[in-house]
Amino acid sequence: MFEYDPVLYSRILTGLTLGYHVIFATIGVGIPLLIALAEWIGIKRNDEHYRLLARRWARGFVITVAIGVVTGTAIGLQLSLLWPNFMQVAGHAISLPMFMEVFAFFFEAIFLGIYLYTWDRFKNKMHHFLLLIPVVIGASASGFFITTVNAFMNSPTGFEIQNGVITNINPIAAMFNPATPTKVAHVLSSAYLTSAFVLAAIAAYALLRGKNHVYHKKALHLTMTVAAVFAVATALIGDLSGKYLAEYQPEKLAAAEWHFETSTEAPLVLGGVLDEDQNIKYALEIPYALSILAHGSPTAEVIGLEEFNQDELPPLIVHYFFDAMVGIGMFLAFVSIAYVVIKRMRKWNEHNRLLLWAILLGGPLSVIAIVMGWFFAEIGRQPWILVGYMTTAEGATTSAHVDLMLYLFILLYLILTVSCITVLRIMFKSNPVERELKNRGIE
């Protein structure tokens, strides 16, 4: 029988909620951009296939938004209920971006409702498209503001603590802390990449089932082109994120790479296991790569875990989260770029089954990469909830029955998952593409 520990249960419940919510939040940020691109291309080329893509994607998007609202609300409640000490200290500093995130979501939701209601109601199709621009802005702004809160937790600035009381609060400085540029850029870029691969996987699945209609081919072309652009962007931003960690959170980078001793010409460690003496076995080491990632030079010195207090080090399991995120990112970049290259080669077939299977696999893998990235971000910050100021244990509640809340939320998320899959399946199975194309007179 496990002894009740409110800190442990609070961490598990918050981690579960964040891990679940980030899937729908990522789709909520990225899908509007894909819808906008599809409708824009459809209008400019007078191509009803692309406009139908936008229409059908928007229908599915609404379902994911609804679940994102529920899980996002749960996170807000959990911050207040499970982390009261943290909110008492840091709440004043992060209240601005949290308020702006809610405002951005309302801004997005209002125009999304108008956009959905006004299909085929304007003679000038561009008027309908313009209603989508606030949705795209609102979705990305929502991702921006909430990510600055997480950035603040990793690099707290814009306040002072005197005798345990937060004073001299500058919410703008708190929001635009040193972690904000790389973290926001990485979150937004990976959201666009993930959303593109999720939609591409749907098109690839249709093509693998023998549905060779040009509609699916256009869907695949648009999504994989977008994926290739943001795969490259995410990789470049990831390099900048490594340099941020090397300067501001070197213990997190060292834990991610099992870099125990300070050294120059540091290799990048992929995979492997640790024995009892913390010797790395069965790993693939890329010479000089960690020094390049950290400081842009193969001979640069990288600080090791030996330089830090043992009780302030992240758990070394973050190495696997980091590897999974980077490994999947490399796979997505390879597949998307390969599609673009093959597409340009007239003698090659970009719809060959091997590539389609890789794209189909990339859909769920991209979602896994997002979750692994957030696990790395959150667990890699431990033992701090507010780096340098408050540990996770100090910020947590001491109340009873957090375990009961955990079980109830697990049940809630199971219900939401089944509901989401069931609704989407019925929605699109009862109105297949071929029927809608025929009903609309689209060849």
Side-chain angles (χ1 to χ4, degrees), residues 22 182-183 186-187 190-191 193-194 231 234-235 237-242 245 252-253 256-257 268-271 293 317-333 362 364-378 380:
V22 73
T182 54
K183 187 168 282 290
H186 190 71
V187 165
S190 59
L193 170 62
T194 300
T234 301
I237 296 167
D239 178 70
L240 296 176
S241 298
L245 289 178
K252 186 174 182 178
L253 180 63
E257 282 305 313
L268 194 71
V269 177
L270 300 177
L293 175 65
I317 194 175
V318 298
H319 171 74
Y320 296 112
F321 300 142
F322 183 79
D323 278 3
M325 176 184 67
V326 173
I328 294 174
M330 293 173 64
F331 173 80
L332 299 180
L365 282 179
S366 64
V367 174
I368 292 172
I370 288 291
V371 176
M372 291 297 100
W374 274 104
F375 279 0
F376 170 65
E378 297 302 292

Side-chain angles (χ1 to χ4, degrees), residues 121-357:
R121 294 179 184 270
F122 295 107
K123 290 184 178 180
N124 188 336
K125 296 175 182 178
M126 187 60 70
H127 292 164
H128 183 253
F129 168 77
L130 292 176
L131 290 171
L132 189 57
I133 301 301
V135 179
V136 177
I137 294 173
S140 297
S142 181
F144 170 85
F145 288 119
I146 204 63
T147 304
T148 64
V149 174
N150 184 267
F152 170 81
M153 296 167 72
N154 285 273
S155 182
T157 54
F159 69 97
E160 296 178 7
I161 292 184
Q162 298 178 359
N163 300 322
V165 179
I166 187 169
T167 61
N168 298 328
I169 300 170
N170 184 339
I172 299 299
M175 187 163 64
F176 292 97
N177 58 77
T180 293
T182 54
K183 187 168 282 290
V184 166
H186 190 71
V187 165
L188 294 181
S189 178
S190 59
Y192 303 140
L193 170 62
T194 300
S195 298
F197 253 98
V198 168
L199 295 178
I202 296 172
Y205 178 71
L207 290 169
L208 283 168
R209 293 188 62 190
K211 298 180 179 181
N212 292 318
H213 197 285
V214 68
Y215 170 92
H216 301 296
K217 295 178 180 180
K218 289 178 179 179
L220 190 68
H221 174 63
L222 172 59
T223 52
M224 290 307 295
T225 302
V226 172
V229 171
F230 286 107
V232 174
T234 301
L236 294 175
I237 296 167
D239 178 70
L240 296 176
S241 298
K243 291 170 174 54
Y244 162 81
L245 289 178
E247 181 175 356
Y248 291 95
Q249 291 179 281
E251 72 282 2
K252 186 174 182 178
L253 180 63
E257 282 305 313
W258 287 349
H259 186 63
F260 294 99
E261 299 178 359
T262 300
S263 63
T264 58
E265 302 178 354
L268 194 71
V269 177
L270 300 177
V273 295
L274 289 175
D275 63 18
E276 296 179 354
D277 299 321
Q278 292 187 333
N279 295 314
I280 304 173
K281 295 182 177 181
Y282 316 117
L284 173 65
E285 294 189 358
I286 304 177
Y288 312 110
L290 182 56
S291 290
I292 295 173
L293 175 65
H295 302 291
S297 170
T299 60
E301 181 180 81
V302 181
I303 298 175
L305 292 171
E306 63 181 2
E307 303 286 342
F308 306 96
N309 295 328
Q310 292 298 310
D311 58 352
E312 294 183 358
L313 293 180
L316 297 181
I317 194 175
V318 298
H319 171 74
Y320 296 112
F321 300 142
F322 183 79
D323 278 3
M325 176 184 67
V326 173
I328 294 174
M330 293 173 64
F331 173 80
L332 299 180
F334 174 79
V335 171
S336 57
I337 293 173
Y339 173 88
V340 172
V341 171
I342 293 174
K343 175 72 175 178
R344 291 182 174 274
M345 301 294 181
R346 294 184 178 180
K347 294 182 180 179
W348 295 1
N349 177 22
E350 72 274 17
H351 301 128
N352 68 81
R353 295 187 67 84
L354 179 61
L355 184 57
L356 289 177
W357 274 111

Side-chain angles (χ1 to χ4, degrees), residues 25 27-36 39 54 57-58 61-62 65 103-119 128-143 192:
I27 292 173
V29 170
I31 293 294
L33 178 65
L34 274 298
I35 297 173
E39 186 163 9
W57 286 348
F61 174 64
V62 172
V65 167
F103 175 82
F105 171 75
F106 284 156
F107 182 73
E108 172 194 359
I110 290 169
F111 280 94
L112 177 61
I114 300 172
Y115 173 80
L116 293 171
Y117 179 74
T118 54
W119 271 102
H128 183 253
F129 168 77
L130 292 176
L131 290 171
L132 189 57
I133 301 301
V135 179
V136 177
I137 294 173
S140 297
S142 181
Y192 303 140

